[in-house]
Amino acid sequence: MAQKRDYYEVLGVQKNASKDQIKDAYRKLAMQYHPDRNKEAEAEDKFKEISEAYAVLSDDQKRGQYDNLGHAGFDQQYSREDIFRGADFDSIFRDIGFGDLFRTIFGGGFGGGYEQTNRGQDIGYNLEITLEEAAKGVEKEIQIPRTEKCDVCEGSGAKPGTKVTVCSRCNGVGKIQNMHKSGFGMFVQVVACPQCRGKGRLIETPCSNCNGSGLVRKKRKITVKIPMGVDDNSQLRLRGEGEMIAGGGEPGDLYVIVHVLPNQLFVRDGDDLYRIEMITFPQAALGAEISVPTLDGPAAVKIHPGTQPGEVVRVKGNGMPRMRGYGKGDLIVRIGVVIPEKLTTQQRTLIEQLAKEFGTDVSAKKSKFRF
């Protein structure tokens, strides 16, 4: 598979380009490479390439993730359908007279991923969990306000017992075609039917519960399964749990953004956990076995004789579970040595004797250094 070109390079803009600059650059390139205007063999592929670049760079969230992750990481997060979802091509193509021809071009090339009118909007939800929950995995019940099908009229928009007729102007399609000429030939623009307002049907008596829309606003409880090892700012996609639309179209998706709360005992870095463990001077000098906390309970750690402040001890397999592999990361313990601020008379005497053994002068003499 050929390596993708940088999106900024594709549109010919700088990385700090504004949204207006990106839109202007895409409009010019779309007019140049649209297959109805450019009959060269590579024009359609070029048109798809610039359209994909625009779909990403015109969206703040997608652009930010692309800037941080590059093509390799970004393509793991987004399918081609996801890339084009929510992008505003309609206003651009209305300006230059293409209408829905864009959708025709991408209908085969991208599996029909851009037909926005038959799909509900996506929903984002921020969910906070603890580090312990992230390590073990957890199920959380959340409450989502979203648009759903009206229970009274079952989504028809009509009062129960009344008629719903097919629109005679668009024959139930909800769209009509307008033909017009330009300097490049004849073009077809597809627009919403003005008689039925794009619904394809005419309602005699609207449903009083939904005012004829076929949709109502509800709060829905949804159970979210958080996998073991999930990292902060991970995004979980729940298909079909987003907004519904009238006419029985496909519902949008729910994106749950997981936020792992800070932990008092550990600092996380990838699959590894870090903590500082304080020991006494005798333990550092003579060696000892100490108990340190882990996510699975206390663990015994050996301190070798002569351990220096700042040394680290790696406790293998006591970190976070690896989401995309087997096993766990490690717990990395950085050793600190406690220096007592106050000493008893006996403690002072013993330390002075030890100092003499080391040949260290600890007498209280006036320093020749001045600060």
Side-chain angles (χ1 to χ4, degrees):
M1 182 181 294
Q3 186 174 2
K4 286 185 176 180
R5 289 201 299 153
D6 179 77
Y7 286 143
Y8 294 96
E9 177 187 345
V10 169
L11 294 182
V13 297
Q14 299 295 321
K15 289 198 172 182
N16 60 351
S18 66
K19 278 191 171 183
D20 288 339
Q21 290 173 325
I22 289 170
K23 189 172 184 178
D24 289 342
Y26 175 66
R27 183 187 286 108
K28 293 176 183 177
L29 291 171
M31 293 180 68
Q32 179 181 351
Y33 290 105
H34 192 284
D36 280 352
R37 295 186 174 185
N38 190 328
K39 299 301 182 183
E40 294 181 6
E42 67 276 8
E44 184 171 326
D45 289 337
K46 182 70 176 178
F47 182 73
K48 290 179 179 179
E49 182 185 39
I50 63 174
S51 297
E52 180 176 330
Y54 173 71
V56 173
L57 299 185
S58 63
D59 183 289
D60 290 338
Q61 180 179 352
K62 294 173 186 173
R63 182 179 181 179
Q65 290 186 333
Y66 174 73
D67 289 343
N68 291 330
L69 302 174
H71 267 306
F74 183 82
D75 290 343
Q76 291 180 355
Q77 296 278 346
Y78 288 87
S79 66
R80 285 188 169 184
E81 179 186 2
D82 294 331
I83 286 175
F84 283 87
R85 182 172 299 133
D88 176 25
F89 290 99
D90 285 337
S91 61
I92 295 177
F93 287 103
R94 280 197 301 268
D95 293 343
I96 55 180
F98 290 157
D100 273 8
L101 291 178
F102 175 81
R103 296 189 176 105
T104 302
I105 292 171
F106 283 86
F110 290 93
Y114 177 67
E115 186 57 56
Q116 288 182 308
T117 55
N118 288 333
R119 189 181 185 281
Q121 290 186 344
D122 296 332
I123 300 174
Y125 185 90
N126 292 298
L127 177 62
E128 292 183 344
I129 63 172
T130 65
L131 183 67
E132 290 80 4
E133 290 173 329
K136 297 178 180 179
V138 66
E139 289 189 1
K140 290 282 188 177
E141 187 177 76
I142 62 177
Q143 194 172 54
I144 302 293
R146 67 178 185 181
T147 301
E148 296 188 1
K149 184 172 66 174
C150 175
D151 294 331
V152 176
C153 65
E154 298 183 350
S156 70
K159 182 180 179 180
T162 63
K163 292 182 179 180
V164 178
T165 58
V166 175
C167 176
S168 58
R169 182 164 182 181
C170 66
N171 293 320
V173 177
K175 297 178 182 179
I176 59 173
Q177 295 182 349
N178 292 328
M179 306 285 292
H180 63 274
K181 291 182 179 180
S182 73
F184 297 93
M186 183 72 72
F187 291 92
V188 178
Q189 185 178 25
V190 180
V191 297
C193 174
Q195 181 167 304
C196 64
R197 298 182 180 180
K199 295 181 178 180
R201 49 191 171 69
L202 299 173
I203 298 173
E204 182 181 287
T205 306
C207 171
S208 59
N209 188 53
C210 63
N211 295 320
S213 68
L215 300 171
V216 292
R217 199 72 177 165
K218 290 185 179 181
K219 288 186 177 180
R220 175 72 63 183
K221 290 184 178 180
I222 298 173
T223 300
V224 181
K225 293 183 179 180
I226 309 297
M228 291 190 302
V230 67
D231 207 346
D232 188 43
N233 288 322
S234 293
Q235 185 173 267
L236 306 178
R237 179 184 183 185
L238 280 68
R239 290 184 179 273
E241 295 292 354
E243 302 278 15
M244 294 186 180
I245 59 172
E250 178 187 358
D253 298 332
L254 170 64
Y255 288 87
V256 178
I257 299 92
V258 179
H259 301 283
V260 182
L261 297 171
N263 188 274
Q264 292 183 346
L265 298 177
F266 309 103
V267 174
R268 181 178 183 178
D269 183 11
D271 297 324
D272 293 332
L273 297 175
Y274 291 78
R275 71 170 275 107
I276 296 175
E277 195 69 34
M278 304 301 292
I279 63 174
T280 64
F281 169 74
Q283 289 175 316
L286 303 176
E289 183 174 280
I290 64 173
S291 176
V292 299
T294 75
L295 290 174
D296 297 319
V301 173
K302 289 186 178 181
I303 304 297
H304 67 83
T307 292
Q308 302 298 309
E311 284 192 31
V312 297
V313 179
R314 185 178 290 269
V315 187
K316 290 188 175 295
N318 279 270
M320 297 293 291
R322 296 187 176 94
M323 281 191 66
R324 297 176 178 84
Y326 297 99
K328 296 181 178 181
D330 300 330
L331 171 62
I332 299 169
V333 181
R334 186 174 295 277
I335 301 299
V337 178
V338 178
I339 306 299
E341 296 181 0
K342 294 182 179 181
L343 298 172
T344 65
T345 302
Q346 183 180 4
Q347 289 170 340
R348 184 174 184 84
T349 300
L350 292 173
I351 292 176
E352 287 174 346
Q353 291 176 355
L354 181 62
K356 289 180 181 179
E357 290 291 329
F358 281 108
T360 302
D361 185 5
V362 293
S363 59
K365 295 180 179 180
K366 187 175 181 181
S367 174
K368 64 179 179 179
F369 298 104
R370 297 185 181 276
F371 297 94

